[in-house]
Amino acid sequence: MTALNALTVAAARDGLRAGEFTAAELTEACLTAIDAAGALNAVVHPTPDIARDHAAAADARLKDADAPALTGIPLGIKDLFCTRHVASQAGSRILEGFRPEYESTVTRQLWESGAVMLGKLNMDEFAMGSSNETSTYGPVTNPWRRGNDDTALTPGGSSGGSAAAVAADLCLAATGTDTGGSIRQPAAFVGITGLKPTYGRCSRWGIVAFASSLDQAGPMTKDVRDAAILLTAMAGHDPLDSTSADLAVPDFEAMLTGDIRGKVIGIPREYRMEGMPQEIEDLWTRGREMLADAGAEMRDITLPHTKYALPAYYVIAPAEASSNLARYDGVRYGHRARLGQGDGVTEMYEKTRAEGFGAEVKRRVMIGTYVLSAGFYDAYYNRARKVRTLIKRDFERVFDDGINAILTPATPSAAFELGRISDDPVEMYLNDVFTVTVNLAGLPGIAVPAGLDRQGLPLGLQLIGRPWEEGDLLNTAYALERAAGYVEKPAKWW
Amino acid sequence: MLDLAYDPPAPKVIQGALHDWELVIGMEVHAQVASKAKLFSGASTQFGAEPNSNVAFVDAGMPGMLPVINEGCVALAVKTGLGLKAQINLVSAFDRKNYFYPDLPQGYQISQLYHPIVGEGEVLVEMGGGLARRVRIERIHLEQDAGKSIHDMDPHMSFVDLNRTGVALMEIVSRPDLRGPDEAAAYVSKLRQILRYLGTCDGNMQNGNLRADVNVSVCRPGDYERYWETQDFAHLGTRCEIKNMNSLRFIQAAIDYEARRQIGILEDGGSVVQETRLYDPDRGETRSMRSKEEAHDYRYFPCPDLLPLEIEQAWVDDIAAAMPELPDAKKARFIAEFGLSDYDAGVLTADVENAAYFEAVAQGRDGKMAANWVINELFGRLKREDHTIAESPVSPAQLGGIVDLIQAGDISGKIAKDLFEIVYAEGGDPAEIVEARGMRQVTDTGAIEAAVDAVIAANPAQVEKARANPKLAGWFVGQVMKATGGKANPKAVNEIVTAKLGL
């Protein structure tokens, strides 16, 4: 029998209901796995006491047959989510010691659905990064290795802790957030499923903001069915978030039929990048064939403004971040620098922020401040906003032409070595090349593992869906998952 | 319309050492929206609460907290716009104004730079003597107030009170249409009056609920007219902005000082530096706060936490349908309906509560007499004791009762003043007091005739003198009034004395 912590959410749910094991047993299996996985550095604030309380409550509910969808399912939570009375640092030193008095809407909904909280997961500082190396807790190590080569690889980022924890079976599933690819890229790097819902599908209330017009929470899971189950619990209108959509949340799991006959899948020619590894190219071709075999119609499409997406993203996201991160000033919470004789408020700001923020965050705050400043606003920020509109229109046009979903590679490469490009921000930013368009357009996107490369590392494909049609998107992803038959797991070395 | 009859006042002219100068003034008035909750949170706006007790998580800039617009504040801004005859923008949007200060927890103020909720309107500022300035309103936008930094509680530390953080303000921006310190003060006063009529701001300047940034520049005679024709600011002088004024008196003094300071610089061959200045009321001068070079770069950009604010015309129409009568209209109506003088109507409509009081007294009574009693007796008495109309011990019904007794001839004007004092000090129903204390004036001609006869009989020498000089008849009236304890109807006494003396 599979170890309890290796179960999917769906399998664990069914096992709990059938009385095959208890939530307490399931939770202990995860806590044990977490204790043994220090080398991954994925879990940064474990909450075993809360986990055991939640599990006990879950078992009571299961006994009373009063058990909502996620009763007894142990989850890991990205450190970006504010969780009441539990450290919530967004991977940053500047939020050292911060324990919120409130619970984010998404995590509150998960607990209300009966889920068990295992702890907080590592991430790039303020979700700024693609390798989990900007975290104040230090990098996460990918549970995957290249065959017998023990070189430490990145799990991707910014939701690197979530990705590693799910892939290494430290939890059944995890929450992530995705501003430019932060769910989909790490999911692809560790061979799990990662869904970024339509902007506005999940409330942002209580999630530490990086770039408010792009941030979106989503599930990171062992398969597509689990993503559907988690999204149903995470999504929903929240009057506390003005950008959250007042739309009914369907039962996404019930929409997984695997039948995609007659669906039209677009293949955007602009995603065929110069210098793209042949293996990625081949995977994409295989994905195309698999969907065609499942009865979908493949159609070549063009999204002409794709090449401007990355520069536009790296103007808009830092601009919003520079403003969103202004509140970390040492006045009310988190880190405050020790002040010297004669230091005033300006020195308090300067020293606190110099000590509290890491290099990547500082870089983006400075870029953002620059592009919003008088004299440069029109040349950068306003132009980027126009590009964003054009990118959105590209997608609207192909959807109007009858495209149901778009198939692309999830990442331009497999997981790379920790430290290899951490000194080259531009190369690092290129990791987001296939994913940022989706955030700029506010669309749902999902990364699905589809195979291994020659070195034995997982590779993912991305499906992009129509706004608010996550159910349809998940079903297409489900068909792709079944066709790919991906079942690989990393060999345990930690 | 009534206001078409006004002529514009002459601009204030200051004689410099070399030649004459004129003033050009524009204002940004910050009016606290009369809402119980803040613009983007449910925290209370109550004044005088314990420091940092009216603070929601979002007001304190806690991580992950989001603003949600308070519909009530939007309605009050729309109402204000309608009251200033302004265009209401059905789509507006919020922007972030970024700067660092400890009393600004988010590190930005949410405001409306690019798309304000209210567009162009106007305010008529009466200056007396048939003169009035028509001041163009450029825009009104909604924004968050900042908190309060306290620097004088401790020698080494500063303290912050966030109670005010996030309270809704309306920034009412005028064009540079004001031409003197008195006009500027009258403009603020008129705005305050309108806002109080509308109930959209309590106008309490002392608490800072209404405060003004005043932009002052000077120009040579003729320059302003050239600006007016072209709307090109190049014809005007460089302006300085005097921040955060919350007293009409100080506004006038600061403008006067600032204009003279600028004239001094210009006449010495210098040029005025565009800057932000503060007025020091103790020294009676303005001083530089920061120059243009030091000015913040606020890095305005659309607030990504808020969708554009869209309102429906039908909703605006509902607000318009429920608009109260505004000062100009009320004044005109008081003149037409109650036959009041322009001056009395102005006094009575200056404050909405005063006007309501008057109207309750005047309803169904002689309007002029009611105005007289409200203005001269009641206002005079309240002012002596530093009471507001809301604190008046005499209700409109009581004052109306006194007027009724005068109109019915039951008491004389003189007795009425005594009665007013009794009601003011002790309360009670005026008619009952008159009955209980025998204050009713004697209108029974028989009784008056008897009293007159008695006085005539007792003073034959005076009768002779009066017949020779009819002006002395007044002495007899006085004697009769004295004999009747002041209760005889003076008019009746007069007539009977005249008749009996055969004058």
Side-chain angles (χ1 to χ4, degrees), chain B residues 472-491:
Chain B
L472 293 177
W475 182 84
F476 286 92
V477 174
Q479 292 301 307
V480 173
M481 293 305 287
K482 203 170 169 182
T484 57
K487 283 182 282 182
N489 182 328
K491 197 169 157 239

Side-chain angles (χ1 to χ4, degrees), chain A residues 276-298:
Chain A
M276 193 160 85
Q278 187 58 42
E279 284 181 294
I280 302 284
E281 184 86 37
D282 293 345
L283 181 79
W284 194 10
T285 307
R286 277 209 304 285
R288 226 178 134 133
E289 289 161 2
M290 288 187 272
L291 291 173
D293 288 347
E297 179 196 329
M298 294 295 128

Side-chain angles (χ1 to χ4, degrees), chain B residues 368-384:
Chain B
K368 278 184 181 172
M369 190 183 286
N372 226 349
W373 276 87
V374 170
I375 295 171
N376 298 324
E377 298 307 319
L378 181 69
F379 288 178
R381 184 64 202 266
L382 291 172
K383 199 171 177 186
R384 277 204 299 282

Side-chain angles (χ1 to χ4, degrees), chain A residues 219-276:
Chain A
M220 299 180 73
T221 54
K222 293 175 188 179
D223 65 14
V224 172
R225 178 174 300 279
D226 284 6
I229 295 170
L230 247 74
L231 180 64
T232 305
M234 293 167 72
H237 178 237
D238 181 1
L240 296 177
D241 174 0
S242 309
T243 62
S244 125
D246 193 358
L247 287 176
V249 179
D251 178 353
F252 291 112
E253 187 186 7
M255 298 172 83
L256 303 180
T257 62
D259 182 0
I260 58 165
R261 283 173 297 174
K263 296 283 180 190
V264 186
I265 309 295
I267 307 295
R269 80 157 73 103
E270 290 78 8
Y271 283 62
R272 188 158 282 112
M273 298 276 167
E274 188 118 357
M276 193 160 85

Side-chain angles (χ1 to χ4, degrees), chain B residues 120-403:
Chain B
E120 294 185 336
E122 70 165 36
V123 176
L124 187 77
V125 183
E126 289 161 56
M127 299 303 300
L131 302 174
R133 180 70 69 194
R134 195 178 295 277
V135 180
R136 295 169 300 164
I137 300 298
E138 185 185 321
R139 56 188 282 155
I140 304 175
H141 61 256
L142 278 166
E143 63 182 26
Q144 297 177 295
D145 205 348
K148 197 166 84 178
S149 291
I150 304 152
H151 301 295
D152 55 6
M153 270 173 67
D154 183 283
H156 304 295
M157 303 223 273
S158 287
F159 294 86
V160 178
D161 178 3
L162 299 181
N163 282 352
R164 211 177 182 113
T165 305
V167 166
L169 300 179
M170 296 178 279
E171 181 169 328
I172 305 167
V173 182
S174 85
R175 303 269 183 200
D177 292 353
L178 296 156
R179 306 302 315 281
D182 54 339
E183 287 184 29
Y187 166 72
V188 174
S189 182
K190 181 63 181 278
L191 259 189
R192 181 176 178 274
Q193 180 192 28
I194 295 172
L195 295 172
R196 284 178 50 79
Y197 265 69
L198 292 167
T200 59
C201 169
D202 71 10
N204 188 330
M205 297 186 76
Q206 229 165 10
N207 291 353
N209 296 354
L210 189 78
R211 47 195 202 261
D213 298 341
V214 189
N215 287 287
V216 181
S217 67
V218 295
C219 65
R220 300 286 305 280
D223 286 345
Y224 188 81
E225 287 68 23
R226 281 186 275 281
Y227 153 71
W228 190 263
E229 279 164 25
T230 59
Q231 292 297 310
D232 180 355
F233 290 106
H235 294 292
L236 302 179
T238 302
R239 67 193 155 87
C240 288
E241 182 181 27
I242 314 167
K243 277 273 183 206
N244 239 346
M245 307 287 298
N246 66 345
S247 140
L248 297 180
R249 196 158 58 84
F250 292 160
I251 286 174
Q252 297 196 60
I255 292 172
D256 196 64
Y257 174 88
E258 180 57 22
R260 289 174 198 279
R261 185 187 72 86
Q262 293 180 15
I263 292 166
I265 291 171
L266 294 168
E267 293 201 335
D268 283 347
S271 50
V272 174
V273 180
Q274 187 178 332
E275 61 184 359
T276 306
R277 299 179 70 83
L278 279 179
Y279 178 69
D280 179 344
D282 296 330
R283 294 170 160 219
E285 59 185 37
T286 64
R287 52 169 185 269
S288 180
M289 197 173 142
R290 54 176 180 262
S291 70
K292 198 180 173 186
E293 288 73 45
E294 297 163 338
H296 294 123
D297 181 348
Y298 290 119
R299 293 168 285 125
Y300 278 100
F301 76 109
C303 181
D305 285 331
L306 294 161
L307 300 173
L309 177 58
E310 291 178 28
I311 55 178
E312 285 173 16
Q313 186 58 49
W315 189 66
V316 176
D317 292 344
D318 286 347
I319 295 171
M323 287 286 278
E325 185 180 37
L326 291 174
D328 293 345
K330 195 180 286 283
K331 184 178 166 187
R333 183 170 63 79
F334 279 13
I335 291 170
E337 197 174 314
F338 298 113
L340 304 188
S341 68
D342 186 271
Y343 178 82
D344 282 356
V347 170
L348 289 168
T349 56
D351 186 275
V352 64
E353 289 174 18
N354 287 350
Y357 188 103
F358 161 74
E359 209 162 352
V361 176
Q363 212 48 254
R365 302 191 175 97
D366 181 294
K368 278 184 181 172
M369 190 183 286
N372 226 349
W373 276 87
V374 170
I375 295 171
N376 298 324
E377 298 307 319
L378 181 69
F379 288 178
R381 184 64 202 266
L382 291 172
K383 199 171 177 186
R384 277 204 299 282
E385 304 195 358
D386 207 19
H387 284 327
T388 65
I389 192 80
E391 296 161 342
S392 169
V394 180
S395 70
Q398 287 171 311
L399 191 57
I402 294 172
V403 173

Side-chain angles (χ1 to χ4, degrees), chain A residues 328-351:
Chain A
Y328 307 107
D329 56 10
V331 174
R332 284 146 291 125
Y333 47 76
H335 178 74
R336 181 191 289 177
R338 278 180 90 90
L339 299 184
Q341 194 68 33
D343 281 351
V345 68
T346 306
E347 289 77 15
M348 180 176 78
Y349 287 148
E350 289 175 355
K351 292 183 177 179

